[in-house]
């Protein structure tokens, strides 16, 4: 599972494991995680999946606002406005063809690193709940690419769980992308 998680975050890489000089495990590369998922879930075809990439503005935290306002006060010359871009990538199983008995394939990665984010996982489950058959769960991979200042890695000692600044903003953007 660890290699699968890393491979989903880096789909362009070929992954091979050899045991006593014989091939034991191989993941072929692809351009997106949509190309890799059928290698992990045998009953899923590439046509059962939808890939979506959405660019969104990175929310500015209060701390950064104060810092930038101090800079503007000390330097009254006009500055070009910079809008930091973030990106949401989703690979979603089409609800009528691709779903599971349990929520084991709701995955989240942030800046190409697999993480657990219960809040974002629940956002995905809620966003797809009305489109899935009863008692079924989606197949969904969320890749969030954002500024490192938006992430607090101090939720878990192994850095496997995160706190995301402006969580309600990210939840709304993910809901919009799923819709």
């Amino acid at each position: 599972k660890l290699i699968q998680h890393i491979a989903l975050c880096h789909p362009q890489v070929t992954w091979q494991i050899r045991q006593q000089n014989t091939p034991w495990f191989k993941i072929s590369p692809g351009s997106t995680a949509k190309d890799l998922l059928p290698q992990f879930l045998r009953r899923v075809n590439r046509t059962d999946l939808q890939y979506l990439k959405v660019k969104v503005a990175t929310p500015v935290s209060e701390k950064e606002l104060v810092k930038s306002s101090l800079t503007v006060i000390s330097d009254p010359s006009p500055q070009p406005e910079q809008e930091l871009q973030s990106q949401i990538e989703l690979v979603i199983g089409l609800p009528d063809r691709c779903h599971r008995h349990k929520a084991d394939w709701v995955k989240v990665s942030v800046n190409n690193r697999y993480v657990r984010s219960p809040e974002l996982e629940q956002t995905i489950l809620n966003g797809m709940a009305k489109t899935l058959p009863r008692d079924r769960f989606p197949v969904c991979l969320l890749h969030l690419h954002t500024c490192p200042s938006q992430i607090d890695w101090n939720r878990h000692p192994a850095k496997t769980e995160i706190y995301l600044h402006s969580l309600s903003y990210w939840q709304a953007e993910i809901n919009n992308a799923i819709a």
Side-chain angles (χ1 to χ4, degrees), residues 92-109:
I92 300 175
L94 297 175
D96 60 335
R97 301 188 250 175
C98 186
H99 41 77
R100 310 269 298 167
H101 287 288
K102 51 187 175 175
D104 59 341
W105 271 96
V106 176
K107 311 276 185 191
V108 176
S109 88

Side-chain angles (χ1 to χ4, degrees), residues 41-161:
L41 299 172
R42 297 293 177 200
R43 293 185 179 165
V44 173
N45 295 320
R46 195 173 185 284
T47 57
D48 295 340
L49 303 168
Q50 179 70 41
Y51 174 77
L52 177 69
K53 183 190 283 190
V54 179
K55 291 188 185 236
V56 295
T58 302
V60 179
S61 68
E62 289 178 29
K63 189 176 185 180
E64 290 171 352
L65 272 175
V66 169
K67 193 177 188 180
S68 67
S69 67
L70 290 175
T71 305
V72 170
I73 291 170
S74 66
D75 183 15
S77 63
Q79 300 274 332
E81 195 173 303
Q82 289 183 338
E83 183 178 296
L84 297 173
Q85 285 284 314
S86 291
Q87 186 171 282
I88 295 172
E89 288 184 73
L90 284 168
V91 178
I92 300 175
L94 297 175
D96 60 335
R97 301 188 250 175
C98 186
H99 41 77
R100 310 269 298 167
H101 287 288
K102 51 187 175 175
D104 59 341
W105 271 96
V106 176
K107 311 276 185 191
V108 176
S109 88
V110 176
N111 293 349
N112 293 325
R113 181 174 177 169
Y114 174 77
V115 295
R116 291 246 326 115
S117 178
E119 299 88 359
L120 295 181
E121 291 168 12
Q122 193 60 48
T123 300
I124 293 167
L125 291 171
N126 291 342
M128 296 194 68
K130 293 179 182 172
T131 61
L132 289 165
R134 186 181 191 102
D135 298 325
R136 302 298 285 193
F137 296 93
V139 171
C140 183
L141 306 170
L142 167 67
H143 291 275
L144 179 62
H145 303 279
T146 188
C147 179
S149 66
Q150 292 292 310
I151 306 162
D152 181 358
W153 290 96
N154 292 321
R155 185 172 189 165
H156 189 275
K159 310 298 186 219
T160 56
E161 293 187 27

